[in-house]
Amino acid sequence: MQTFANYINGEWVNGPTFENRNPANTDDLVGLFVKGSAADVDAAAAAAEAALPAWSNMTGPARGNILFKTAELLDQRFEAISAEMTREEGKTLPEAKGEVRRAINIFKYFAGEGSRMGGFLVPSERDRVHMFAIRKPVGVVGLVTPWNFPIAIPVWKLAPALICGNTMVLKPASAAPLSAWRVVEALHDAGLPKGVVNFVAGSGGTLGSALVNARPVKAVSFTGSCEVGNWLHAEASKRRLRIQLEMGGKNPTIVLGDCDFNAAVENTVNAAMFSTGQKCTATSRAIVEDSIYDRFVEALVARTRKLKVGNGLEAGIDIGPAVDEGQLETNLRYIEIGRKEAGEPVVGGNRLTGGAYDKGYFVEPTIFANVTEDMRIAQEEIFGPVLAVMRARDFEDAMAIANRVPFGLSASIQTTNVSRVFEYIYRMEAGLLTVNLPSAGVEYQLPFGGTKDSSFGPKEQGPAAFDFYSDYKTVYLKY
Ligand code: NAP
């Protein structure tokens, strides 16, 4: 069994290990990972600090070449990395391939930015004064990532951080560290100078605390739960670190009577159930206009019954397992809460057992109908394949229901009425909106992130990523 070491100052560092198991078949040990310590984080931060001057002084195009090379290596290893992701996280192989492709494209996008990244050049009021602002890196950054997009999220933090000239310490999720490790391996093979990227796996509590307190660290980018994000924010604020948090959601899909009915059913089921509901942008509330409510629920149930749940490496599977036992228990606990609040689910509601199911963490895609706003399943993030369907009198009622949650990550509307589309675009309290598409499914060329309790700090991805990973230096020059 391969042991995947930590990567500090360009060296692979060994130590005691923890297991990474396949959630679809817990007999399948994916690998052993070195359990890093607070001292490892300190060493990693010191290495990043030492590497900073040379890396930040390298030209942008030269840094970009290393990112292009990394993309090329990931492309050569595409099939193997995708299959490993399915084994460690549980998502289906096509979903894993889509995510690895996205990671490759993110590297290429930011590699190109190395030749483009500009500042400001504006006219001065004064004679013969040339004034401009250039971008400079923030310094050593800490990156903390979740398990649900185990390659895309690490890459959408690493790539902009690198091209801006920062150096970094990456702490991946313990439930799925291999995909991020493969990225670090590719960066190493692409010739990244030692110390620029450091990788320390292990317990979030121990490493997170060390990271936020490591003296060289100037900024922390975190994606994960609100609970951990809020704690990190409080700690980081004590040292006035720059911080960026992407956290939970309770995303709505509003379905109006004038929608393209079949497309709306497909989009809702896709957003609620695919990836086992484990997308931060997944739909967990379908808010359906009264005029089509009964017919829509019936169609959702019929479509959901056709979904095949199983090992994501097998062809024809739509939905894999929950990522681990803890997430499975959360799903089952919320299903019981839903039963008490809304009655029997209209479809699903059980753990799947028997045969191969006994080896993994499988749960039936589950839908509760007649959910109302006072219920916990209408307000709290579950992060599983559990959909709450709510009845709205009309568009205005649907908008009010959609906005009355503490979260504001993504939202979707299904309608053919262009005026309502614009009303929704301007009034929906979410950072990421879709129209006649699933609420989940983002591209890397535009800003990504939420509002309200879902997010804090500058957006990720696209040109907006530079707002977090760089700072301006302003120059006034008399000639
Ligand atoms: P999590 O438990 O908060 O973990 C996220 C990361 O934080 C992991 O690497 C974890 O390490 C680490 N961590 C745990 N305790 C920490 C601490 N005290 N200090 C610093 N880091 C710590 O979240 P998750 O269960 O992996 O992910 C699911 C959550 O992520 C959901 O709420 C989902 O909505 C959210 N999410 C949000 C977005 C977005 O863009 N808004 C995207 C994806 C996911 P360990 O793994 O070792 O515990």
Side-chain angles (χ1 to χ4, degrees):
M1 180 46 55
Q2 187 173 352
T3 296
F4 296 93
N6 285 327
Y7 183 68
I8 300 170
N9 203 22
E11 305 282 337
W12 300 103
V13 179
N14 275 300
T17 58
F18 65 96
E19 291 182 346
N20 177 9
R21 283 192 183 270
N22 181 344
N25 175 6
T26 51
D27 290 346
D28 177 19
L29 182 57
V30 179
L32 295 171
F33 277 77
V34 171
K35 189 174 184 176
S37 62
D40 290 324
V41 169
D42 288 342
E49 186 177 37
L52 184 64
W55 180 249
S56 58
N57 284 319
M58 191 185 273
T59 65
R63 287 197 295 264
N65 283 340
I66 294 177
L67 268 58
F68 275 125
K69 180 73 187 161
T70 305
E72 197 182 310
L73 292 172
L74 290 173
D75 207 356
Q76 285 164 14
R77 301 165 188 177
F78 176 79
E79 295 290 336
I81 294 175
S82 304
E84 279 175 348
M85 187 194 298
T86 294
R87 279 176 65 211
E88 75 166 346
E89 202 271 353
K91 65 180 66 185
T92 66
L93 189 55
E95 285 173 330
K97 285 185 177 178
E99 189 183 332
V100 177
R101 181 59 55 204
R102 176 139 62 112
I104 292 167
N105 290 342
I106 293 170
F107 267 123
K108 288 185 190 164
Y109 174 87
F110 284 106
E113 287 299 307
S115 313
R116 266 190 297 268
M117 208 179 351
F120 285 114
L121 176 65
V122 290
S124 170
E125 291 188 355
R126 289 170 282 179
D127 188 40
R128 289 184 161 69
V129 168
H130 189 70
M131 61 184 210
F132 57 99
I134 53 171
R135 285 192 184 274
K136 66 180 188 68
V138 176
V140 177
V141 300
L143 310 176
V144 182
T145 56
W147 45 262
N148 66 332
F149 286 101
I151 199 164
I153 295 179
V155 170
W156 84 45
K157 295 184 192 298
L158 283 166
L162 283 167
I163 206 66
C164 287
N166 302 284
T167 57
M168 60 216 68
V169 180
L170 169 64
K171 149 59 188 125
S174 300
L178 180 52
S179 304
W181 194 93
R182 289 293 182 208
V183 172
V184 173
E185 181 188 45
L187 283 163
H188 173 84
D189 294 347
L192 188 76
K194 68 175 189 175
V196 174
V197 169
N198 302 274
F199 172 99
V200 185
S203 150
T206 309
L207 303 188
S209 174
L211 192 62
V212 84
N213 287 304
R215 187 197 40 80
V217 170
K218 297 284 182 284
V220 175
S221 176
F222 167 83
T223 303
S225 62
C226 292
E227 191 189 357
V228 173
N230 291 339
W231 177 83
L232 261 180
H233 178 251
E235 288 299 299
S237 298
K238 290 180 194 160
R239 295 187 53 219
R240 278 186 271 149
L241 300 187
R242 182 179 286 217
I243 189 155
Q244 172 182 59
L245 307 169
E246 285 303 337
M247 303 176 286
K250 190 72 189 171
N251 312 308
T253 290
I254 296 174
V255 184
L256 299 184
D258 60 19
C259 68
D260 174 342
F261 190 86
N262 292 336
V265 171
E266 198 57 40
N267 288 339
T268 307
V269 171
N270 173 310
M273 306 303 181
F274 284 21
S275 295
T276 324
Q278 296 173 156
K279 292 178 182 168
C280 50
T281 48
T283 286
S284 59
R285 299 177 293 150
I287 304 170
V288 185
E289 200 169 7
D290 195 35
S291 58
I292 57 163
Y293 182 90
D294 293 334
R295 194 158 68 93
F296 195 76
V297 171
E298 217 172 276
L300 281 182
V301 170
R303 177 67 184 95
T304 300
R305 279 195 209 289
K306 291 197 185 123
L307 296 173
K308 289 201 177 64
V309 182
N311 186 329
L313 285 176
E314 291 167 17
I317 294 297
D318 298 301
I319 294 175
V323 72
D324 59 17
E325 199 169 3
Q327 186 57 53
L328 175 76
E329 280 168 8
T330 301
N331 297 344
L332 295 173
R333 194 174 69 247
Y334 272 103
I335 288 171
E336 280 323 300
I337 292 169
R339 275 201 170 90
K340 289 199 184 93
E341 292 179 327
E344 269 305 298
V346 286
V347 61
N350 300 297
R351 181 175 182 172
L352 285 157
T353 52
Y357 285 138
D358 287 341
K359 303 252 182 211
Y361 306 120
F362 296 97
V363 65
E364 289 176 325
T366 298
I367 299 179
F368 288 98
N370 298 317
V371 174
T372 51
E373 285 181 81
D374 52 322
M375 298 178 187
R376 286 179 64 190
I377 57 167
Q379 293 290 331
E380 297 172 19
E381 183 180 53
I382 302 172
F383 221 53
V386 182
L387 176 67
V389 188
M390 309 172 77
R391 193 186 290 266
R393 285 189 305 281
D394 52 22
F395 170 70
E396 287 302 331
D397 191 33
M399 283 294 292
I401 295 170
N403 277 333
R404 268 193 303 256
V405 291
F407 300 105
L409 190 51
S410 75
S412 166
I413 193 166
Q414 310 289 315
T415 180
T416 51
N417 182 321
V418 75
S419 292
R420 292 208 168 129
V421 167
F422 277 94
E423 286 289 334
Y424 153 86
I425 289 171
Y426 284 105
R427 287 163 46 200
M428 185 67 224
E429 295 164 7
L432 197 150
L433 304 180
T434 73
V435 179
N436 297 327
L437 286 167
S439 65
V442 304
E443 300 194 31
Y444 52 87
Q445 310 92 315
L446 279 174
F448 172 82
T451 182
K452 294 161 82 173
D453 286 359
S454 292
S455 303
F456 180 81
K459 298 276 185 270
E460 302 203 80
Q461 306 202 59
F466 297 138
D467 294 344
F468 184 73
Y469 291 109
S470 70
D471 213 343
Y472 285 111
K473 184 178 277 183
T474 305
V475 183
Y476 298 90
L477 186 156
K478 173 83 179 164
Y479 63 96

